[in-house]
Amino acid sequence: MSDFAQTVKQQADIVKVIGGYIRLRKAGAQNYSGLCPFHKEKSPSFSVHAGRQFYHCFGCGQSGDVFSFVGKIENAGFPEAVRIVAQKCGIPLPKREFNSPEEAAEAGQRRKLLDLHETAAAWFEEQLRSSEGALAREYLAGRGVSAEAIKTFRLGYAPDNFNGLRDRLAPLADADTLRASGLFSSKDSEDQSGNVVPGRMYDRFRKRVMFPICNESGRVIAFTARALETGDKAGPKYINSPETPLYSKGQVLFNLDKAKAAVRSMEFALLVEGQMDCISVYMRGIQNVIATSGTAFTEQQVGLLRRQTTNVVVNFDPDAAGANAAEKSIGLLTEEGFTIKVVTLDGGLDPDRFIRERGVEAYAAAIRGARRQSDYLIERVRQKFPGASPDAKIKQMNDLLPHIRRIPQKLERDQFAHDAAQKLGIDSAVLREELRQAAMKRQDHIQARATTLTEVERVLLRALAITGGENEAARRLAVEAIVAQPARFEHLGAFPCLWALAGRRADGQDRDPMDAVEDPAQRALLAEVLLQEVEPPSEGEVHSAILHIQERALESQRRAVIALIGEAEAGGDFAEVVLLTQQKMELDRALRQLHNQEPPHSHS
Ligand SMILES: [Zn+2]
């Protein structure tokens, strides 16, 4: 690790940084816990240690320092993770901070692309204010979008011009980077041997209202562009940025950057379909709103959301497409253990129109009155397959069963099945049995935890994890004992971890104990001990732990030797008996020595 990374690591507060991504609760003097962002779970097995600056998940075994967390969650390489953490902590960046030219190039390109998007967003904003933007301003005013909303969401206008943005950005980057930004199109051709010959680049977005899409940190990474005109010539109503190194459609939730804080404090997220709905709702003070941008949820989006909350109120458009998207999203969220409620607005209105026609109070009331997902789904199958004929009931049931099976919690499955039977009037024994089976089916995940440490192992692990001079004598005592006679410790379950820690330098670069241990199971043991630790052990405690372990090891060797002596005697092998008896005497002597050992003097 470079000096700069080391500095950042020392100054960064891992609890604060991780707490910016997921909800953490204080769970001990120095330790915090929350739902793991790296695997599905309902109860928290993810821990962060403030003092030791590491995180560990007992569910999936992910573990590491602040850089590894940010790297994983932002899908960034090490140098970029360092940069992100430095930025979050307000530490100025040095000029060069890369391990290899490839890394530098990759991070360089990402940064360049972010810069291009930032400049593009500002340019679109400028165009909206210009005389060319009059039509777009009119359109936005007609949709009830305030000047404040335009400013907050950085809405803009792409003029009816093939070269406007290109001319603005061309001086800032080379052709490859401009191409990679997704902001331009080109008519590429093929030469005779089938190689692509890139054509001239021109602006991808023209005569459109521009909605910037931001990542979780609020940086612009893509755009949604809405056509100002309709008709054949205007092209599709909405077009999005293509997939780029910055942007992948299924990995972003619109407005999550702004909604994050409110989602956490209100403990639920309001999910709407369109960006216009989202802006409209947000600007009227309901700030925990995010949009899926018209498609059903992806697993990555679920992951993004889970870091903030597992409670969702869904308010999709009431049309068939909206209902289908809602159903798909509900399905996925259910599987992932979310609690879901569904809002359907009177009069078949979308959120934006509902608020404009009936006011934000009425909308807030509708959200409070959201139905449980089971009620919503039962109502929906009744509309989809109306009637009470046996045939209709079977169709209703078949529609519902997958939803019921998806729910991770048994109690909730039972409740859902019960409600369905009652509300749909299922009296057939066969159908009831199917419902019961659906409720039985899914099993909750059971987490295997490695908690096989003995008290003496805990003492040694805590001693070996001592860092930075304090209680150094206790650490050295443990190191010397293990290094001098590893055989006496080998029977311990935590031996690989003890051995790795004993070989660590506690003052230099590899000072972090969690970094010294590679095996995931052993890391879990160490994490468990470190998360529980209050004070490092004293020399006296370490001394008696070592004595205890050595005694146990010697005694078990002694028992083995005695058994061998018995065998040798029975077999008449007296040379062997003599040899073994000598071994036994040595063990006796070692045990006596152990008992006579004085505890170390206290230095205080
Ligand atoms: Zn995990």
Side-chain angles (χ1 to χ4, degrees), residues 35-41 45-46 56-62:
L35 293 177
C36 177
F38 306 123
H39 83 282
K40 300 174 195 176
E41 63 175 359
S45 47
F46 182 87
H56 185 85
C57 174
F58 291 99
C60 65
Q62 297 275 12

Side-chain angles (χ1 to χ4, degrees), residues 282-343:
Y282 182 88
M283 289 313 292
R284 282 158 180 97
I286 299 174
Q287 298 196 325
N288 58 334
V289 61
I290 51 182
T292 55
S293 310
T295 48
F297 247 59
T298 65
E299 267 183 50
Q300 289 99 324
Q301 288 172 322
V302 172
L304 283 175
L305 195 54
R306 182 202 307 290
R307 292 178 214 151
Q308 315 304 333
T309 186
T310 51
N311 299 313
V312 170
V313 174
V314 179
N315 182 193
F316 283 173
D317 287 356
D319 60 27
N324 279 335
E327 212 165 285
K328 268 194 199 145
S329 300
I330 289 172
L332 188 55
L333 289 167
T334 306
E335 253 171 48
E336 305 275 331
F338 279 64
T339 307
I340 300 143
K341 289 183 169 183
V342 183
V343 183

Side-chain angles (χ1 to χ4, degrees), residues 380-454:
R380 231 180 101 65
V381 296
R382 282 165 89 171
Q383 286 171 9
K384 254 164 105 175
F385 311 104
S389 65
D391 186 47
K393 280 184 187 177
I394 288 173
K395 281 183 178 149
Q396 293 170 347
M397 284 275 305
N398 284 340
D399 207 272
L400 278 183
L401 286 173
H403 291 287
I404 297 175
R405 286 201 196 96
R406 270 195 198 110
I407 301 172
Q409 306 85 354
K410 167 103 173 63
L411 256 170
E412 284 172 35
R413 282 199 306 276
D414 278 341
Q415 184 64 45
F416 194 161
H418 176 83
D419 288 355
Q422 202 160 49
K423 288 185 181 160
L424 299 176
I426 306 286
D427 36 25
S428 134
V430 179
L431 291 186
R432 277 185 178 271
E433 178 56 22
E434 272 210 61
L435 275 175
R436 203 184 65 80
Q437 286 293 335
M440 294 286 295
K441 208 110 179 186
R442 179 153 175 170
Q443 292 201 339
D444 286 281
H445 299 282
I446 299 159
Q447 283 168 7
R449 256 190 200 221
T451 43
T452 51
L453 287 174
T454 59

